[in-house]
Amino acid sequence: MKLASLKGGRDGRLVVVSNDLAWCTPADLIAPTLQAALDDWEHCEPDLRALAESLELGAVPRERFHEHEAASPLPRAYQWADGSAYVNHVALVRQARGAEMPESFWTDPLMYQGGSDGFLGPREAIPLADESWGLDLEGEVAVITGDVPQGASRDEALAAVRLVMLCNDVSLRNLIPGELAKGFGFFQAKPASAFSPVAVTPDALEGWRDGKLHGALEVELNGKPLGEADAGVDMTFDFGTLIAHAAKTRSLTAGSIVGSGTVSNRGSDGGPGKPIADGGVGYSCLAEVRTAETLVEGRPRTPFLKAGDVVRIEMRDARRHSLFGAIEQAVAAE
Amino acid sequence: MKLASLKGGRDGRLVVVSNDLAWCTPADLIAPTLQAALDDWEHCEPDLRALAESLELGAVPRERFHEHEAASPLPRAYQWADGSAYVNHVALVRQARGAEMPESFWTDPLMYQGGSDGFLGPREAIPLADESWGLDLEGEVAVITGDVPQGASRDEALAAVRLVMLCNDVSLRNLIPGELAKGFGFFQAKPASAFSPVAVTPDALEGWRDGKLHGALEVELNGKPLGEADAGVDMTFDFGTLIAHAAKTRSLTAGSIVGSGTVSNRGSDGGPGKPIADGGVGYSCLAEVRTAETLVEGRPRTPFLKAGDVVRIEMRDARRHSLFGAIEQAVAAE
């Protein structure tokens, strides 16, 4: 089943989307918003699935689904916890700046508390007030959970996954060192993120297994391929483990979003990998591109994002059909 | 005007509370929940104020207001950003562990991104799964904002304050060093916080001026006074400055909660101050009690919270009438 929130009001208007993303039908008789559906998933899910089936059969009134009319599936959420499950990414970034990475990073997930009070739409411009902040994209996979009790096991946590999405976790790289030095973690360095136009139940994703989403995460910058790393490869912590980490000392409310962190694959030699043009799988963020350049050439060559740049993040199935629709965002000077 | 959310459903049921906290009347014909009222404050505020006036006059049906029937004013919220505005507190804690505090801490606010997907009720037990985690209370003042645009000035940010509350920002002290060492800030170390039974508009608070709430924050542990620091004293950053800091790189959605951090006053000699029993204003968290003990006696003597302990946080006006009702929470082994 595929769900989306058409723009409108603070929380959008819930629609069921056809598997091929061509059609949608209003779901507001079941639940006005996705959050409302998640709040009462036990009752809403069967009705939403029946509606989805009717939509596939052409048995209900339908309208064309236009990705640019969609808000993020949850335009605002009560929880956004972003892991950093591709430890390879962390190791590389540290290596480039000559910093040791603690061994514990391979066993104890890194996770930051994100701001969730307003997300950008999947086709909404990324506002940039100051180019010197070092704007970067981060291609990620994210899940929306149901209620998760405190102390949930990895399996219990995994069973609470309701929907899967893609994410552009926008980062302001040059604000990060100062904030981390203060010791309280990210705040200004992590402005509003954006999510894919469509959220999909795990059972409708062939690549969903072992708590990971397998498949190439296609990241483009200004129409050129930047990354196609497989989100199911080198993911040290699966989503069950990430959610259980988030729920260790508190429960999570239905509608909580948990992210994978930047998708990143090791190079075949265990090193920083190669750009797509050189036969590698490329990179899902510019920080990693710059890290690879630093390791190979001694210094970064690729600049961070500037006004007018366009970022695109998408994942397709074996027949090249888009699974979640595309995040496509231009950078706009404020 | 005073507002509360009686327990019920995920978001409670909005009521208007009388100034003396004795009575309340349902506000659901205006807005079913406090978040709904904040989402459409321009329309709801005049109606809520009219209802509050009628309640004071005895002109509407009313029921007794029982603090223990109240959830936190926002039982869940889209944003919880907690500052650390009493820099004295930070300086002391650092001093006790022999760490330098950067001079910039006096000019650049510390703020962490908190989890907001579920708050404890003001009379709800604090669940403690493991005593070795080092459970602590933190007495704070917090505000709820309207929409705040990115880049808002201090004055614009201050004008967006809709409501004021008290907060118990629950912390797991022994989980903090490990999390801060990982560099991503607090996560597991900051479980669910609790807020006062009642949220109050700034105009109804005599102590609200210069973006600060003046008055003694009364903190009790097991019926004994622990702190009575004045929340308007030694607050290096007022709420306008804190909100503007939070909104530097992104907008804030209506219903965002911004906290002051642990209220803390300098001793008359500029040192760590004294316990109430010794003629001082005491402390609003156990970490600070332990810091003062370390500075004076060489090591901490007061333990962190254990099952059965009871924490109470309240503020009163000049006539000793409670302004927000009391946060009163027992610690419960899980």
Side-chain angles (χ1 to χ4, degrees), chain A residues 151-169:
Chain A
S153 69
R154 178 257 178 196
D155 288 351
E156 289 165 345
L158 193 54
V161 172
R162 298 280 174 265
L163 294 160
V164 184
M165 309 179 285
L166 305 181
C167 174
N168 179 16
D169 182 44

Side-chain angles (χ1 to χ4, degrees), chain A residues 10-11 35 38-40 76-84 94 105 108-118 127-129 133 147 150 172 175 179-192 244-254 256 334, chain B residues 10-11 35 38-40 76-84 94 105 108-118 127-129 133 147 150 172 175 179-192 244-254 256 334:
Chain A
R10 291 182 182 267
D11 296 296
Q35 182 64 51
L38 290 158
D39 282 348
D40 193 20
R76 55 181 178 174
Y78 294 105
Q79 170 64 279
W80 163 224
D82 197 13
S84 194
R94 295 229 170 189
F105 279 25
D108 179 29
L110 272 179
M111 182 170 281
Y112 77 88
Q113 180 65 61
S116 56
D117 59 315
L128 180 60
W133 288 346
D147 291 306
Q150 181 179 336
L172 298 169
L175 299 186
E179 286 203 318
L180 295 198
K182 287 161 76 177
F184 273 30
F186 306 109
F187 198 102
Q188 295 177 339
K190 293 283 185 180
H245 180 87
K248 184 183 170 187
T249 63
R250 66 176 184 228
S251 58
L252 301 179
T253 300
S256 289
E334 280 270 289
Chain B
R10 291 182 183 267
D11 297 295
Q35 182 64 52
L38 291 158
D39 282 347
D40 192 21
R76 55 180 178 174
Y78 294 105
Q79 170 65 278
W80 163 226
D82 196 13
S84 195
R94 295 229 170 188
F105 279 25
D108 179 30
L110 272 179
M111 181 170 281
Y112 78 87
Q113 180 65 62
S116 56
D117 58 315
L128 180 60
W133 288 347
D147 291 306
Q150 180 179 335
L172 299 169
L175 299 187
E179 285 203 319
L180 295 197
K182 287 162 75 177
F184 272 29
F186 307 108
F187 199 101
Q188 294 176 339
K190 292 284 184 180
H245 180 87
K248 184 183 170 188
T249 62
R250 67 178 184 226
S251 58
L252 301 179
T253 300
S256 289
E334 279 271 288

Side-chain angles (χ1 to χ4, degrees), chain A:
Chain A
M1 177 168 64
K2 302 195 175 190
L3 301 174
S5 297
L6 297 187
K7 288 177 199 167
R10 291 182 182 267
D11 296 296
R13 191 162 58 80
L14 182 62
V15 294
V16 171
V17 182
S18 63
N19 279 323
D20 62 4
L21 307 186
W23 303 98
C24 66
T25 188
D28 47 327
L29 290 181
I30 301 168
T33 66
L34 179 54
Q35 182 64 51
L38 290 158
D39 282 348
D40 193 20
W41 191 250
E42 201 185 329
H43 289 104
C44 293
E45 187 196 7
D47 292 347
L48 290 170
R49 285 190 181 274
L51 184 60
E53 203 168 317
S54 300
L55 176 63
E56 293 299 331
L57 296 171
V60 286
R62 63 186 194 175
E63 50 191 290
R64 295 296 299 190
F65 176 67
H66 298 291
E67 296 182 18
H68 63 86
E69 289 173 359
S72 279
L74 289 171
R76 55 181 178 174
Y78 294 105
Q79 170 64 279
W80 163 224
D82 197 13
S84 194
Y86 301 84
V87 180
N88 178 54
H89 163 80
V90 183
L92 276 181
V93 173
R94 295 229 170 189
Q95 193 185 338
R97 64 168 199 252
E100 291 261 326
M101 190 184 79
E103 267 305 300
S104 64
F105 279 25
W106 292 101
T107 51
D108 179 29
L110 272 179
M111 182 170 281
Y112 77 88
Q113 180 65 61
S116 56
D117 59 315
F119 297 121
L120 300 175
R123 300 296 168 95
E124 199 174 342
I126 305 171
L128 180 60
D130 188 335
E131 225 168 77
S132 75
W133 288 346
L135 180 66
D136 199 358
L137 67 143
E138 289 192 9
E140 305 194 0
V141 178
V143 300
I144 303 176
T145 75
D147 291 306
V148 182
Q150 181 179 336
S153 69
R154 178 257 178 196
D155 288 351
E156 289 165 345
L158 193 54
V161 172
R162 298 280 174 265
L163 294 160
V164 184
M165 309 179 285
L166 305 181
C167 174
N168 179 16
D169 182 44
V170 179
S171 294
L172 298 169
R173 296 289 180 192
N174 295 337
L175 299 186
I176 289 179
E179 286 203 318
L180 295 198
K182 287 161 76 177
F184 273 30
F186 306 109
F187 198 102
Q188 295 177 339
K190 293 283 185 180
S193 296
F195 295 88
S196 50
V198 172
V200 184
T201 52
D203 61 281
L205 291 163
E206 281 181 30
W208 180 262
R209 56 181 185 276
D210 310 323
K212 303 175 185 180
L213 180 62
H214 296 260
L217 185 71
E218 299 173 25
V219 180
E220 279 184 10
L221 177 57
N222 298 327
K224 290 183 192 147
L226 185 74
E228 52 184 37
D230 191 310
V233 172
D234 291 332
M235 190 186 188
T236 306
F237 306 106
D238 75 314
F239 277 105
T241 305
L242 292 175
I243 296 164
H245 180 87
K248 184 183 170 187
T249 63
R250 66 176 184 228
S251 58
L252 301 179
T253 300
S256 289
I257 306 176
V258 177
S260 68
T262 308
V263 173
S264 176
N265 293 166
R266 273 191 200 85
S268 51
D269 58 354
K274 287 179 188 165
I276 291 177
D278 298 341
V281 298
Y283 309 98
S284 308
C285 69
L286 294 176
E288 211 170 305
V289 173
R290 289 163 58 90
T291 292
E293 289 168 350
T294 301
L295 290 171
V296 173
E297 306 169 30
R299 63 186 187 84
R301 188 167 28 87
T302 302
F304 288 119
L305 296 173
K306 51 193 186 310
D309 282 342
V310 177
V311 170
R312 188 179 166 97
I313 299 174
E314 194 167 17
M315 190 180 273
R316 300 177 211 248
D317 65 14
R319 293 170 303 155
R320 304 289 295 151
H321 292 165
S322 185
L323 288 167
F324 304 92
I327 297 171
E328 188 172 304
Q329 299 182 277
V331 177
E334 280 270 289

